[in-house]
Amino acid sequence: MTTASNPSPPLLPARRRRHARLIAALTTLIGACTEAAGEVYGPIAAAPPDQEGVEVQTLSCIRVAMSAPLLLDLARSEDATRWPDAVVREVAASRRTYAARVALADAHDAAHRTASGPGRGPVPPPSAESGAWMELVSAGDEVAACWRDDPQQAAALVRELTAGGELVVDEVLDTAVDAMVMCGLLALAEARTMATVDPSAAAELCLTATPYLTLAVTLASADLD
């Protein structure tokens, strides 16, 4: 029974609700990528077999590449506005895990100094703070790569990575989402560059972006708790 002095904590939204606007934006972007590729391949498919040159449109390739970062940033902002309590909890959790990773890195560094003496190599190791961020990025990359091949194994990997308390589940999954989104955006940026040079290559790059964006949807929707 809940009393006024001991209220129940607010329920956490499911990840697909927490990231609903981002997921919708990614879905829209996936459709735009395939439509942009279709505007290149469609006229080629419709042209007579003996036609030498075929006029195609690459404006959509350019448009989707230019609009994608803004579309996704806006979606993230809208999700944050819709779930302010979740944002507060995520920021607090991120501070705790970051501090835990820094403390662990400091402990490892101290043990290394004790074992190896005062001498250091010509290239200094990364600071504990840099190492803490690198560890999170590495965890996200590893989970995203594993999820493509075996989602169950990837879920087990997330639990393994978060068992020590230096990372939390949502933090790792969100970083994996970011990694896949970045891969998709890089492919679209290259498509924009190729649009006026090689339309077919631009279309292929638009299609190359879609598996990354699709995996980002999957990771943004995944609930492991």
Side-chain angles (χ1 to χ4, degrees):
M1 181 175 178
T2 301
T3 65
S5 59
N6 187 27
S8 298
L11 294 176
L12 292 171
R15 284 182 56 79
R16 63 174 44 87
R17 292 292 306 283
R18 166 67 181 88
H19 300 298
R21 296 293 174 87
L22 175 61
I23 291 169
L26 287 166
T27 304
T28 298
L29 192 54
I30 291 167
C33 287
T34 57
E35 289 178 7
E39 289 189 9
V40 174
Y41 290 124
I44 296 173
D50 58 349
Q51 183 173 336
E52 288 291 334
V54 179
E55 183 177 351
V56 298
Q57 296 293 327
T58 59
L59 181 59
S60 291
C61 291
I62 297 171
R63 184 183 295 117
V64 72
M66 293 180 64
S67 64
L70 180 60
L71 175 68
L72 298 180
D73 283 346
L74 179 61
R76 290 181 187 276
S77 176
E78 290 175 345
D79 277 329
T81 300
R82 296 177 77 204
W83 300 103
D85 291 341
V87 172
V88 170
R89 288 192 292 271
E90 289 163 3
V91 170
S94 177
R95 287 173 178 166
R96 288 195 302 272
T97 56
Y98 174 74
R101 294 195 303 275
V102 169
L104 184 61
D106 280 335
H108 285 171
D109 189 43
H112 176 73
R113 288 196 303 268
T114 301
S116 61
R120 289 181 176 270
V123 179
S127 66
E129 291 78 8
S130 298
W133 288 115
M134 290 166 59
E135 184 179 350
L136 175 58
V137 172
S138 176
D141 289 345
E142 187 177 1
V143 168
C146 185
W147 206 289
R148 283 195 295 261
D149 300 324
D150 191 336
Q152 290 186 342
Q153 183 180 347
L157 175 61
V158 173
R159 295 188 177 94
E160 178 184 339
L161 290 169
T162 57
E166 292 86 18
L167 295 165
V168 294
V169 170
D170 284 340
E171 187 176 37
V172 174
L173 290 175
D174 288 348
T175 306
V177 171
D178 292 343
M180 292 300 93
V181 167
M182 182 57 66
C183 288
L185 292 180
L186 288 174
L188 290 178
E190 189 174 355
R192 179 185 175 187
T193 301
M194 295 298 296
T196 56
V197 179
D198 188 339
S200 294
E204 290 165 11
L205 286 163
C206 285
L207 295 177
T208 297
T210 60
Y212 295 116
L213 302 176
T214 301
L215 183 53
V217 170
T218 300
L219 291 164
S221 304
D223 268 310
L224 304 186
D225 296 334

